[in-house]
Amino acid sequence: MPPTAPSSLPNYLADGLPKQDDEALRDARKYIDELLAAREQHRQEPVTEDDLPEDAQLLENESSSAVYLEYRTCGDESCSCMNDGEKHGPYKYRAYRDGDTVRRDYLGKATDTDIDTNAN
């Protein structure tokens, strides 16, 4: 009797894997191991500019996080920032990896020193 698939496995995999021959299953296992290793390695990588919002202005990039400035819209449809007007800010954020996700902490409104540092 074949083993029971874990409930977390999508049906298309639970139904399809038992139909594969031994070689295909070994290839799938190798691919899964490589995929898991690549994901683990990615989790250890520092946050890069590619992980930040498109208009972010990088201030500092450390081994485990990146500090950046960003101008934001407020969400109020009557505000000019929502209609191609000037956005609010800049605001300062620290981005860091949390597993597969890049998270960010709000560090407050940027200071003149932050803005001057970024201009150089």
Side-chain angles (χ1 to χ4, degrees):
M1 177 157 221
T4 303
S7 60
S8 62
L9 198 63
N11 287 339
Y12 67 92
L13 290 175
D15 294 341
L17 283 173
K19 298 174 185 175
Q20 305 306 309
D21 64 22
D22 290 353
E23 182 180 359
L25 288 174
R26 286 186 192 92
D27 290 345
R29 179 176 27 194
K30 180 180 177 198
Y31 172 69
I32 290 168
D33 289 343
E34 290 171 353
L35 185 59
L36 287 168
R39 285 184 175 182
E40 183 59 35
Q41 180 181 353
H42 182 68
R43 288 183 190 113
Q44 304 305 318
E45 294 173 354
V47 174
T48 66
E49 285 190 70
D50 292 339
D51 297 311
L52 302 179
E54 186 175 309
D55 60 347
Q57 301 166 18
L58 188 63
L59 290 179
E60 56 187 81
N61 203 350
E62 302 168 356
S63 62
S64 62
S65 65
V67 177
Y68 66 95
L69 300 180
E70 183 180 12
Y71 289 85
R72 306 282 311 240
T73 56
C74 65
D76 179 351
E77 292 298 328
S78 66
C79 183
S80 65
C81 74
M82 297 295 289
N83 298 302
D84 295 328
E86 191 172 312
K87 294 182 180 181
H88 303 283
Y91 301 104
K92 191 173 178 180
Y93 294 90
R94 178 181 308 279
Y96 60 95
R97 290 200 189 284
D98 180 11
D100 291 332
T101 305
V102 174
R103 301 205 185 277
R104 67 184 188 171
D105 290 334
Y106 175 66
L107 302 177
K109 189 155 175 74
T111 64
D112 290 340
T113 305
D114 295 326
I115 296 167
D116 291 341
T117 300
N118 193 47
N120 293 336

